[in-house]
Amino acid sequence: MASQQHLSTIKGAKVLMVGAGGIGCELLKTLALSGFQDIHIIDMDTIEVSNLNRQFLFRKSHVGQSKAKVARDAVLRFRPHVSITSYHANVKNQEFNVDFFKQFSVVLNGLDNLDARRHVNRLCLAAEIPLVESGTTGFLGQVTVHVKGKTECYECQPKPAPKTYPVCTITSTPSKFVHCIVWAKDLLFVKLFGDKNQENDLNVRSSDPASSSDHAEDVFELKKDETIEQYGRRVFDHVFGYNIEVALSNEDTWKNRNKPRPIYIRDILPEEPTNQNGNMDKICATDEQSLISAMTSIGMKNPQEIWSLMENSRIFTEAIVLFFTKRKKDVGNLSFDKDDQLAVEFVTAAANIRAASFGIPMHSLFESKGIAGNIVHAVATTNAIIAGLIVVEAIKVLQNDLNKYRMTYCLEHPSRKMLLMPVEPFEPNKSCYVCSETPLSLEINTSHAKLRDFVEKIVKAKLGMNFPLIMHGASLLYEVGDDLDEDMVANYAANLEKVLSELPSPVVSGTILSVEDLQQELSCSINIKHRDEFDEEKEPDGMVLSGWQQTTLEKGDSSKTSLGNGESTSKALPSTTDANKNDDADIVASGTKRKLEEASSGVDASSSANEANSLKKLEVLDDDNDLVVLDDDGDLVTNKKKRLQ
């Protein structure tokens, strides 16, 4: 039974929830039932059919509507006297600034990506408002508390970078099905239906001029005198036949590898496919994107069946026909979306054909969609448990009961007969550039790199700033804002295209740049160090930032390149583990291990190494997006951090 003091604290609190998805629905319900009277919700998403199996405030009739608004209306039906304000918007919008955050007693996160989490963390630090973070993935989950000056902030420990694969593995020597998925999703799909100017190795040429004469023109350009079917078969022959033959010509590559076999469509489908199921007219009668399906068009129904090589070939060519006939207006600016049925079908077929060529087992549409979209199936009860723990920690925060704060981990299997493992929070990391303002250092070729490279690859991609302001001493080099006049905008645009050493206030080795984000009220200093050369495979950005780091997800493999959130290059390809839109799953790893053998109250100080390792695997969990990666090295915790006294 809650005490009167608890009830008074709860009723007087003004709470901001960010995210109304898997955790958010459970959290809003629990807050309302716990007696909170003033709740605000921000969520930019709309309801999808796939949400309905775990986001229980939503119904089928709500599909397409705002999550925040529908969640509010659903809770008001059984708690009509609670004040709930919903915002169908992005939390990164300028209206949600520091002054907006200052009106709340506590902020509760149920977000779906690292970028937004970092943004909210910084606003909470600037507004000096406590933040309760959370996340789930399957049976695993965690809740952490972040209070400025008292506990570490969300960014005090490095977050994992999206796993990447070297371009040579993806384009030349795939050995796993995931390599084929990445090739189909990030190279072929984009080349056919997205930005055709993307640089990749799909349009390869033979070193023999005679043999490459038929491939002198751009294979991916539709000719005036050919049908879409002919175009699809020509693309098929190029990527699965000709390209493989060119690869086989380099005999050294295959000395210690199994050779792939070229696949030409005439050997699989002797004649151009015709629709024998009478479904094309039905497909063509609708303009609704979600109903356009190559499977339906050729009469296939089971997404869990592994298609034959012939069936994959038919899906491949049929998907191209449907994209260029029924979705022609989209062609040229498409990117892969796991909720786009036709895109998933195309990627599955393309990956399977490539897998067949390289002797890799093929996968079903269901399995391929999970790999391509980073889907980790949600467990609704985990969301409910985590939501309850968020409210428990929020009440502690509201009562300023620092000694009782806990980071709580929800485990899949009992450890010392416990499924919920509490751990005491840690003090702020003194080297954190976000909450401790520790200077960073950047190695960069100041004679070649442009200011645009610095802004895009460092300031935005790695430091997560949305509205950056960059100064060299008293000289303002770059600024973003709606209140800038045309001359200033033109001046900053011109600066972006200038080499660092040629800026009005030259940036050279030894320069200290001041970078700020006025919306986040975050500032940091970056020491510039000139460096002539960089390893294109290991350092594809052509610059190295120190003092800020993301953890590579595969240790000991120097050929893999970690990219910042949302960043991509032509030298290192984001794998299927990039931060794409997913459901109830995220990153479950951290490079800096917590000292878990120091027991918190309720946990025996003699906890075994296995328990410590079990908990360290749960370092960074997120609710609705990204990747699940378990740290399975089995090492004991080595980085000792001070616990709160």
Side-chain angles (χ1 to χ4, degrees), residues 115-153:
D115 192 41
R117 280 181 163 83
R118 293 189 300 183
H119 183 74
V120 172
N121 175 61
R122 296 169 186 186
L123 289 174
C124 286
L125 288 170
E128 299 189 9
I129 301 300
L131 169 66
V132 181
E133 258 292 351
S134 66
T136 66
T137 172
F139 293 101
L140 306 177
Q142 76 175 26
V143 174
T144 57
V145 181
H146 307 280
V147 181
K148 184 177 182 179
K150 296 180 180 179
T151 73
E152 61 183 13
C153 79

Side-chain angles (χ1 to χ4, degrees), residues 9 12 45 51 96 105 177 194 282 392 415 436 453 510 524 545 548 552 559 572 620:
T9 300
D45 285 343
N51 301 147
F96 305 120
S105 309
F177 188 72
K282 180 179 179 181
V392 169
S415 177
S436 299
D453 299 324
C524 65
L545 184 66
W548 171 98
T552 54
S559 67
V620 185

Side-chain angles (χ1 to χ4, degrees), residues 74 104 110 118 169 222 332 357 359 365 433 463 476 615 641 644:
F104 298 102
R118 293 189 300 183
T169 298
L222 179 63
S357 177
L365 179 79
Y433 79 93
L463 301 185
L476 184 57
L615 287 182
K641 296 188 294 177
L644 295 176

Side-chain angles (χ1 to χ4, degrees), residues 42-83:
I42 301 174
D43 196 299
M44 66 181 291
D45 285 343
T46 55
I47 299 164
E48 300 174 3
V49 173
S50 61
N51 301 147
L52 303 181
N53 71 334
R54 66 195 177 283
Q55 298 174 22
F56 299 131
L57 296 181
F58 308 145
R59 299 293 181 266
K60 190 173 182 180
S61 60
H62 297 141
V63 171
Q65 299 181 39
S66 162
K67 284 188 175 182
K69 183 181 183 303
V70 173
R72 170 190 180 273
D73 295 343
V75 171
L76 287 178
R77 291 194 190 94
F78 58 86
R79 279 293 184 269
H81 303 299
V82 176
S83 173

Side-chain angles (χ1 to χ4, degrees), residues 194-436:
D195 181 7
K196 292 185 180 296
N197 295 321
Q198 170 187 264
E199 293 184 11
N200 60 45
D201 292 342
L202 292 177
N203 232 345
V204 296
R205 304 284 188 271
S206 170
S207 58
D208 180 1
S211 66
S212 61
S213 59
D214 293 336
H215 297 264
E217 56 190 6
D218 188 349
V219 175
F220 298 95
E221 286 294 328
L222 179 63
K223 297 178 181 178
K224 294 181 179 180
D225 59 346
E226 69 180 343
T227 65
I228 302 299
E229 290 83 355
Q230 292 170 335
Y231 171 71
R233 293 172 71 91
R234 181 164 58 83
V235 168
F236 184 108
D237 284 346
H238 179 82
V239 296
F240 300 119
Y242 176 77
N243 281 6
I244 300 300
E245 287 192 2
V246 172
L248 286 170
S249 65
N250 185 355
E251 296 182 0
D252 290 341
T253 302
W254 311 106
K255 285 183 178 179
N256 300 312
R257 293 185 176 95
N258 292 326
K259 292 183 178 181
R261 66 182 177 97
I263 299 176
Y264 288 94
I265 199 165
R266 62 178 178 268
D267 300 323
I268 310 300
L269 301 174
E271 298 179 0
E272 292 188 16
T274 56
N275 188 285
Q276 299 176 351
N277 297 283
N279 291 315
M280 179 57 83
D281 292 340
K282 180 179 179 181
I283 294 297
C284 293
T286 179
D287 289 323
E288 189 170 341
Q289 179 174 311
S290 62
L291 297 180
I292 300 175
S293 163
M295 285 181 66
T296 303
S297 177
I298 64 177
M300 297 171 62
K301 297 180 179 179
N302 187 358
Q304 299 195 37
E305 179 181 58
I306 297 178
W307 303 329
S308 66
L309 183 56
M310 177 182 290
E311 289 169 330
N312 278 293
S313 302
R314 293 180 66 194
I315 290 288
F316 180 90
T317 54
E318 187 68 16
I320 291 177
V321 169
L322 291 175
F323 269 120
F324 278 91
T325 54
K326 295 302 296 174
R327 296 177 57 181
K328 188 174 182 179
K329 66 179 184 299
D330 296 332
V331 173
N333 52 28
L334 280 170
S335 58
F336 178 80
D337 182 347
K338 71 177 177 61
D339 295 315
D340 183 336
Q341 176 66 18
L342 189 58
V344 172
E345 291 172 346
F346 175 84
V347 166
T348 298
N352 274 332
I353 298 167
R354 186 165 175 82
S357 177
F358 282 85
I360 300 169
M362 295 191 289
H363 286 57
S364 69
L365 179 79
F366 180 81
E367 294 169 324
S368 299
K369 180 178 180 179
I371 297 171
N374 312 320
I375 298 171
V376 176
H377 300 290
V379 177
T381 49
T382 307
N383 289 336
I385 292 169
I386 292 301
L389 290 170
I390 293 172
V391 175
V392 169
E393 294 304 323
I395 293 172
K396 295 178 189 177
V397 167
L398 293 171
Q399 293 181 319
N400 199 26
D401 200 348
L402 182 64
N403 292 330
K404 293 184 179 179
Y405 293 172
R406 292 292 180 271
M407 301 183 297
T408 305
Y409 298 87
C410 182
L411 310 178
E412 182 174 357
H413 303 290
S415 177
R416 298 187 68 82
K417 300 182 179 180
M418 299 174 68
L419 281 173
L420 297 180
M421 188 69 71
V423 179
E424 291 179 9
F426 293 94
E427 290 182 344
N429 182 354
K430 293 181 181 179
S431 63
C432 175
Y433 79 93
V434 176
C435 65
S436 299

Side-chain angles (χ1 to χ4, degrees), residues 371-585:
I371 297 171
N374 312 320
I375 298 171
V376 176
H377 300 290
V379 177
T381 49
T382 307
N383 289 336
I385 292 169
I386 292 301
L389 290 170
I390 293 172
V391 175
V392 169
E393 294 304 323
I395 293 172
K396 295 178 189 177
V397 167
L398 293 171
Q399 293 181 319
N400 199 26
D401 200 348
L402 182 64
N403 292 330
K404 293 184 179 179
Y405 293 172
R406 292 292 180 271
M407 301 183 297
T408 305
Y409 298 87
C410 182
L411 310 178
E412 182 174 357
H413 303 290
S415 177
R416 298 187 68 82
K417 300 182 179 180
M418 299 174 68
L419 281 173
L420 297 180
M421 188 69 71
V423 179
E424 291 179 9
F426 293 94
E427 290 182 344
N429 182 354
K430 293 181 181 179
S431 63
C432 175
Y433 79 93
V434 176
C435 65
S436 299
E437 298 185 3
T438 301
L440 303 170
S441 63
L442 177 68
E443 295 179 67
I444 189 170
N445 190 323
T446 57
S447 301
H448 292 157
K450 296 181 178 180
L451 181 62
R452 178 181 298 280
D453 299 324
F454 174 72
V455 171
E456 296 297 331
K457 297 178 181 179
I458 300 298
V459 177
K460 292 184 178 180
K462 287 184 167 59
L463 301 185
M465 294 187 178
N466 304 313
F467 299 94
L469 180 151
I470 302 172
M471 297 189 69
H472 177 196
S475 177
L476 184 57
L477 301 178
Y478 181 72
E479 185 180 8
V480 175
D482 296 331
D483 56 345
L484 302 179
D485 59 42
E486 292 183 3
D487 291 340
M488 294 174 69
V489 171
N491 181 53
Y492 295 141
N495 279 351
L496 284 175
E497 304 307 322
K498 293 179 180 178
V499 172
L500 292 176
S501 60
E502 298 175 358
L503 286 165
S505 181
V507 175
V508 295
S509 194
T511 296
I512 299 178
L513 293 179
S514 175
V515 184
E516 299 181 46
D517 188 309
L518 300 181
Q519 183 188 16
Q520 299 174 347
E521 293 194 11
L522 171 69
S523 64
C524 65
S525 298
I526 302 179
N527 298 321
I528 301 298
K529 180 180 179 181
H530 175 80
R531 179 172 154 191
D532 288 324
E533 297 180 355
F534 294 86
D535 187 310
E536 290 187 353
E537 195 70 31
K538 298 178 183 178
E539 302 162 329
D541 292 338
M543 55 191 79
V544 176
L545 184 66
S546 303
W548 171 98
Q549 69 179 69
Q550 281 188 315
T551 306
T552 54
L553 297 178
E554 288 197 13
K555 301 179 181 179
D557 190 343
S558 60
S559 67
K560 293 178 173 58
T561 305
S562 294
L563 302 179
N565 190 36
E567 181 183 357
S568 63
T569 74
S570 61
K571 293 296 182 183
L573 297 175
S575 79
T576 170
T577 59
D578 271 347
N580 299 321
K581 183 67 182 169
N582 269 359
D583 295 314
D584 297 319

